[in-house]
Amino acid sequence: MIKARFIRRYKRFFVEALNNEGIILTAHCPNTGSMQQCSDPNSEVLLSSSSNLKRKLKYTLEFVKIKDNWVMVNTIKTNRIIEIVLKNGLLDVNFDHKKIYREVKFGIENSRVDFLLENHINEKFYLEVKNVTLTDNMTTALFPDAETKRGQKHIYELLHELKIGNRVGIIFAIQRPECDSFDTNKEIDPKYHSLLKDAVKQGLEIFCAKIIYDNDLEPVDVKLIPFLNSD
């Protein structure tokens, strides 16, 4: 990891950061959200470096430091972490899955779900993953950090699978260590808030999984925290 200071984000997928030698580095930003609270100028950041000469950008934004805590913002890496968590049984989903598939088509419009679990009798459990980096500035993690039409669509697609007899759920991967609860962000996306609340009543399962990192910023465990599901 390369330490640097955040300068700006532009064109959605680009970040400029100033390294310790005073050189401005341009890094890929794999986070498609607004990155509210994660893009303050002069914030400490960690960039990974790639030796792949075919890449347009050598560096990738991985972590941003907020209130003395490193917050992982690489949403691509989040799914890799959750896959390990599922394979090692670190997250109790009460489903004896024998197979795990990634990026499977599902729903009415042939969207792609992050994970499909199957057990020995071919019962299916569709799971979508959302990376959570926003808080209420206290102890509650919030999602989303911007209006999410894509997230709304995923709820409809999951409900379609539920209606035809499959289990469905959303894993909210909490990246803020100071948080001990989770809620949807009614102020930013009231439609997502109401859709999720209604979907839970219909049987959509919610897992609020706070990712635990060690001193080397390697994921080592998950901790389930309560879903407030407020009005």
Side-chain angles (χ1 to χ4, degrees):
M1 294 282 190
I2 298 166
K3 286 188 177 182
R5 291 279 179 177
F6 189 92
I7 298 176
R8 66 170 181 143
R9 180 191 188 190
Y10 63 104
K11 294 182 180 178
R12 194 179 187 187
F13 297 109
F14 294 81
V15 160
E16 284 184 347
L18 188 70
N19 71 8
N20 292 338
E21 285 74 44
I23 299 171
I24 295 176
L25 305 178
T26 302
H28 171 60
C29 177
N31 193 310
T32 58
S34 74
M35 284 184 58
Q36 188 179 152
Q37 296 180 350
C38 296
S39 53
D40 292 340
N42 208 40
S43 296
E44 288 186 74
V45 297
L46 291 176
L47 311 176
S48 61
S49 176
S50 173
S51 58
N52 185 353
L53 298 178
K54 294 182 179 180
R55 282 186 48 149
K56 290 183 178 180
L57 295 174
K58 180 178 181 179
Y59 304 103
T60 300
L61 178 65
E62 302 287 352
F63 287 85
V64 177
K65 202 168 196 178
I66 306 173
K67 297 180 180 179
D68 297 323
N69 294 315
W70 287 110
V71 177
M72 208 273 286
V73 295
N74 186 338
T75 54
I76 296 172
K77 193 167 287 185
T78 301
N79 280 23
R80 295 173 187 165
I81 293 171
I82 294 300
E83 183 174 17
I84 293 169
V85 164
L86 292 169
K87 284 182 176 179
N88 292 314
L90 297 176
L91 181 63
D92 183 13
V93 294
N94 190 27
F95 189 76
D96 186 22
H97 51 279
K98 303 299 180 184
K99 298 178 182 178
I100 300 176
Y101 301 99
R102 291 278 307 272
E103 297 291 327
V104 176
K105 289 184 178 180
F106 80 124
I108 302 172
E109 298 183 25
N110 280 328
S111 301
R112 290 188 181 273
V113 72
D114 290 316
F115 293 100
L116 168 61
L117 311 184
E118 280 188 354
N119 63 14
H120 65 287
I121 56 173
N122 295 323
E123 291 176 326
K124 294 178 172 57
F125 193 173
Y126 291 87
L127 283 167
E128 186 66 25
V129 177
K130 302 297 181 186
N131 196 60
V132 182
T133 60
L134 183 68
T135 77
D136 63 351
N137 288 316
M138 291 187 285
T139 58
T140 300
L142 299 172
F143 182 89
D145 64 1
E147 184 183 14
T148 172
K149 298 287 187 183
R150 185 169 179 265
Q152 295 169 18
K153 178 183 176 182
H154 284 157
I155 294 175
Y156 288 122
E157 298 286 56
L158 288 168
L159 287 177
H160 171 77
E161 294 296 340
L162 181 67
K163 288 174 183 176
I164 61 176
N166 296 314
R167 281 181 66 181
V168 296
I170 299 177
I171 300 173
F172 291 98
I174 315 298
Q175 303 290 349
R176 298 295 292 265
E178 72 270 34
C179 292
D180 54 22
S181 60
F182 168 80
D183 207 353
T184 46
N185 198 334
K186 183 179 181 180
E187 304 303 319
I188 284 182
D189 195 338
K191 185 172 182 180
Y192 186 87
H193 171 85
S194 60
L195 280 174
L196 189 69
K197 193 173 183 64
D198 183 62
V200 168
K201 292 177 182 177
Q202 295 183 53
L204 174 72
E205 300 176 49
I206 300 296
F207 304 92
C208 308
K210 182 163 69 172
I211 311 299
I212 309 299
Y213 296 87
D214 62 17
N215 291 334
D216 296 320
L217 296 179
E218 292 293 332
V220 291
D221 204 356
V222 293
K223 178 183 179 182
L224 285 175
I225 60 177
F227 175 31
L228 298 182
N229 200 16
S230 62
D231 291 323

